[in-house]
Amino acid sequence: MKIGISSSRLVRLMQLAILGITFVGLVTRNVGVFVNGVFAFGITVLPGVLRRDYRLSLDTSLTLWITAAVFLHAIGMLGLYDEVWWWDHLTHLLSATLVAGVGYSTARAFDEHSDAVFFPPRFMFVYVLLFTLASGVLWEVLEFAVRGSAHIIGVKPVLIQYGLDDTIVDLIFDAAGAVLIALFGTSVLSETVETLLARFSREND
């Protein structure tokens, strides 16, 4: 019980910090900081929206995991991406575990819900890896497009993209995050899978 309360408080503190970062972006007219702050805060309220509108109750630790990922990204926009060499690697690794977790949980829930679907463990490993890498590639393309568009318009980009070498390293950390979930996702995401299963069952009733 104490762990749950502590996690909830940490989530609230990080949400307040993200709002503070967003305010800093607004006051300093830093579009990148402001837009990423708004995006990050929107992600932190997503678990509550899923609980209210779709009856998908996420575990408190999972909510903390999601909030921490976007919180670290929002902080990075204040300059840590440029000043701390490993900050980008950390945020990519953490974000990749979230993406991999979504892919794993959804696929495992379908696997257990339907007799027509069967995902062997080896296939699940490959699926999670490919799903995460594909999402990572899409994100890198988005970063490139946003940076190119900002350069053409003459404004500061809201996403940071450092070049091809950085993209390759980002994808390596995306793959590392996927491997972590593929290897240990069964225990960490079991409650999320059960929640999705319950949702599928309600839809079929």
Side-chain angles (χ1 to χ4, degrees):
M1 185 65 177
K2 292 182 179 180
I3 294 178
I5 295 173
S6 177
S7 297
S8 298
R9 288 178 178 173
L10 282 174
V11 168
R12 295 292 180 267
L13 286 173
M14 285 189 285
Q15 285 179 318
L16 288 174
I18 291 172
L19 286 176
I21 292 169
T22 305
F23 181 73
V24 169
L26 180 63
V27 171
T28 60
R29 298 182 180 181
N30 188 317
V31 178
V33 172
F34 176 75
V35 171
N36 281 275
V38 171
F39 171 78
F41 185 77
I43 294 297
T44 66
V45 301
L46 184 59
V49 174
L50 292 175
R51 185 182 305 110
R52 183 192 63 205
D53 296 344
Y54 299 97
R55 290 185 292 176
L56 290 177
S57 182
L58 300 182
D59 181 76
T60 306
S61 60
L62 183 58
T63 302
L64 178 61
W65 181 10
I66 294 171
T67 305
V70 294
F71 169 68
L72 292 175
H73 171 66
I75 290 180
M77 294 302 299
L78 294 176
L80 291 180
Y81 277 123
D82 294 321
E83 298 174 5
V84 182
W85 66 267
W86 48 262
W87 197 265
D88 187 44
H89 305 331
L90 173 64
T91 56
H92 263 276
L93 179 66
L94 193 55
S95 298
T97 59
L98 285 176
V99 173
V102 170
Y104 170 83
S105 299
T106 305
R108 180 56 65 197
F110 274 115
D111 182 22
E112 296 186 14
H113 174 71
S114 174
D115 293 334
V117 178
F118 174 65
F119 295 145
R122 289 184 180 180
F123 174 84
M124 183 63 73
F125 183 93
V126 174
Y127 162 76
V128 170
L129 180 61
L130 293 180
F131 178 84
T132 308
L133 286 176
S135 300
V137 170
L138 288 176
W139 178 259
E140 296 298 331
V141 171
L142 177 63
E143 283 186 342
F144 179 80
V146 169
R147 185 178 180 85
S149 300
H151 180 73
I152 294 174
I153 298 173
V155 297
K156 190 173 181 179
V158 298
L159 293 176
I160 301 174
Q161 212 277 340
Y162 296 103
L164 182 59
D165 290 343
D166 177 69
T167 297
I168 298 300
V169 174
D170 287 346
L171 291 176
I172 291 174
F173 278 90
D174 289 345
V179 170
L180 287 175
I181 294 301
L183 292 177
F184 307 109
T186 302
S187 57
V188 176
L189 296 167
S190 57
E191 186 171 339
T192 303
V193 173
E194 292 299 325
T195 301
L196 289 173
L197 274 172
R199 174 66 181 178
F200 294 157
S201 298
R202 287 196 297 266
E203 289 181 349
N204 290 338
D205 291 341

